[in-house]
Amino acid sequence: MDELLSLKTAFLEEIDPVTTLAELQQIKNKYSGRKGLLTARLKALSSVPPDQRPLYGKTLNEIKDFIEETLGHKELLLKGREKEKRLLTEKIDITLPGRYTRFGRKHPINQVLSEIKDIFVSMGFGIEDGPEIELDYYNFEALNIPKDHPARDMQDTFYISDDVVLRTHTSPVQVRVMEKRKPPLKIIVPGKVYRCDADVSHTPMFHQVEGLMIDSDISFGDLKGVIELFFHSFFGKGTPVRFRPSYFPFTEPSAEVDIGCIFCAGKGCRICKTTGWLEVLGCGMVHPRVFEMAGYDPEEHSGFAFGMGVERLTMLKYSIDDIRLFYENDLRFLEQF
Ligand code: PHE
């Protein structure tokens, strides 16, 4: 009996200084676990002399209940304290200013590309694309520019091999689409093109939008109508548009299109080199040789093609005087659009 009572005293002395749940678990194991001190005594009850057994058993049970109840109380207490501690350390200061998130936006070139696409889609044009790494055949040959043709010098080509180039314009897609599909065709081709050239108005990569419209009786008048409508949508209704005779190997007749200088309203300034006009696009009626090479009958079909530089149009629209600004990734520039 004495031994039982000192067990209780020992328990109380041990549990008193406990401050963590881990320590408490150790004490729990020591006293009421499967191999604990209380369990051992319950098992040994049969070896107590029968006359002492009832009192011994009763006392043992009381001590067992007491120890278990005390363990339970202490556990609740410690859990409460740990939670309190956690709440204190994990507290968030809702008075701190929020973290600033930068919103992304479309690059100005992509914004203008979208605008150009919208205008042509509203006129019934479909959108096509083609490879930027292109066969010499599609970039030159099939566009009536044979190997020794002087027009090859007009464009500073990046060659990958003798017959593979980075496309210098979007015109090769004209041929690829004609090979795939029968007329009528009414498509635009927005995309990247590459030329070995770099200064305030040239970057080695830039964007073009090609246009191609083919049917049985398309005339130069249709070309003028489409181009004028486009520039009036893009730059504003009153913008003067003029066609100037020019030369491309893949169109005949060919023309260059100018718009009235939007900086000086046609009076003549530094940007339009005092001419009052800005060159914005190349175009013409698809050359019969190009039709033949693509498998179309030039007697049966006619059509026009055009190509414009997207960076140049963007620079004119937003009065930007250096093309390289588009590709320096300076947010102070890009965030203005
Ligand atoms: N591909 C020509 C260029 O890059 C533009 C063009 C396209 C001209 C279609 C005529 C017809 O300069």
Side-chain angles (χ1 to χ4, degrees):
M1 282 296 275
D2 281 350
E3 197 253 352
L4 271 186
L5 292 175
S6 61
L7 186 70
K8 182 177 170 182
T9 324
F11 168 76
L12 283 172
E13 272 170 14
E14 274 185 66
I15 200 167
D16 191 49
V18 163
T19 54
T20 69
L21 284 166
E23 284 167 6
L24 187 69
Q25 186 62 43
Q26 278 178 6
I27 296 177
K28 207 171 176 176
N29 294 342
K30 178 169 173 187
Y31 286 90
S32 65
R34 253 187 329 112
K35 292 182 178 158
L37 296 171
L38 287 169
T39 324
R41 279 171 186 63
L42 277 169
K43 279 185 189 152
L45 199 58
S46 54
S47 59
V48 174
D51 58 328
Q52 295 174 24
R53 214 177 285 162
L55 183 60
Y56 185 90
K58 186 169 169 260
T59 313
L60 180 56
N61 267 331
E62 277 169 8
I63 292 178
K64 180 172 169 285
D65 288 348
F66 172 80
I67 286 183
E68 276 168 4
E69 203 179 314
T70 310
L71 282 168
H73 281 317
K74 187 87 180 186
E75 184 173 338
L76 277 182
L77 184 82
L78 290 180
K79 276 191 174 155
R81 274 198 207 143
E82 285 193 6
K83 186 172 177 186
E84 228 169 85
K85 233 199 295 179
R86 212 159 10 92
L87 286 178
L88 277 174
T89 54
E90 289 176 4
K91 191 169 65 176
I92 38 171
D93 182 353
I94 56 166
T95 66
L96 274 178
R99 289 204 185 96
Y100 173 66
T101 322
R102 276 175 183 278
F103 281 97
R105 69 187 73 201
K106 252 179 161 174
H107 191 278
I109 293 299
N110 281 329
Q111 288 184 33
V112 168
L113 268 170
S114 299
E115 197 182 331
I116 296 172
K117 285 190 261 185
D118 282 350
I119 296 173
F120 281 108
V121 165
S122 78
M123 289 193 248
F125 284 77
I127 298 176
E128 292 282 340
D129 63 9
E132 291 170 29
I133 301 171
E134 184 55 287
L135 291 172
D136 182 281
Y137 175 78
Y138 288 110
N139 197 78
F140 294 122
E141 214 82 18
L143 290 167
N144 199 28
I145 316 174
K147 282 250 191 272
D148 54 358
H149 197 287
R152 288 206 178 199
D153 302 337
M154 283 161 58
Q155 305 181 345
D156 308 276
T157 311
F158 286 113
Y159 278 89
I160 305 261
S161 70
D162 267 355
D163 41 38
V164 180
V165 302
L166 293 185
R167 68 178 180 193
T168 58
H169 50 181
T170 40
S171 301
V173 188
Q174 287 185 31
V175 184
R176 286 183 174 273
V177 173
M178 283 192 262
E179 281 181 351
K180 266 198 326 228
R181 306 223 311 251
K182 292 286 141 230
L185 280 185
K186 203 175 172 189
I187 57 150
I188 57 162
V189 184
K192 293 184 168 69
V193 299
Y194 301 85
R195 292 183 198 177
C196 186
D197 205 353
D199 59 37
V200 285
S201 52
H202 298 89
T203 45
M205 180 283 299
F206 61 103
H207 295 77
Q208 285 189 335
V209 176
E210 191 83 8
L212 181 66
M213 181 165 174
I214 301 172
D215 207 332
S216 43
D217 53 0
I218 300 290
S219 72
F220 202 93
D222 295 311
L223 171 60
K224 285 190 83 171
V226 166
I227 295 300
E228 255 176 39
L229 191 54
F230 169 71
F231 282 115
H232 286 168
S233 309
F234 189 79
F235 282 116
K237 267 224 152 15
T239 313
V241 179
R242 80 172 180 188
F243 285 68
R244 203 164 22 82
S246 185
Y247 170 78
F248 297 101
F250 35 93
T251 46
E252 184 60 36
S254 303
E256 232 130 13
V257 174
D258 299 335
I259 57 165
C261 181
I262 42 195
F263 298 100
C264 61
K267 285 194 207 66
C269 67
R270 187 179 58 85
I271 313 239
C272 61
K273 299 191 183 97
T274 71
T275 62
W277 295 94
L278 297 164
E279 185 189 315
V280 284
L281 177 142
C283 62
M285 303 307 291
V286 179
H287 197 290
R289 280 289 292 147
V290 176
F291 275 146
E292 277 165 10
M293 297 230 253
Y296 280 15
D297 181 354
E299 296 298 322
E300 219 179 299
H301 298 295
S302 61
F304 63 76
F306 58 85
M308 58 184 116
V310 179
E311 277 76 359
R312 176 151 171 85
L313 291 181
T314 310
M315 289 168 78
L316 295 177
K317 186 157 188 146
Y318 296 107
S319 305
I320 296 159
D321 59 7
D322 188 338
I323 193 175
R324 293 169 294 198
L325 286 166
F326 290 126
Y327 301 112
E328 281 168 355
N329 286 334
D330 186 337
L331 291 181
R332 289 169 306 177
F333 172 74
L334 295 174
E335 278 175 349
Q336 294 178 54
F337 296 88

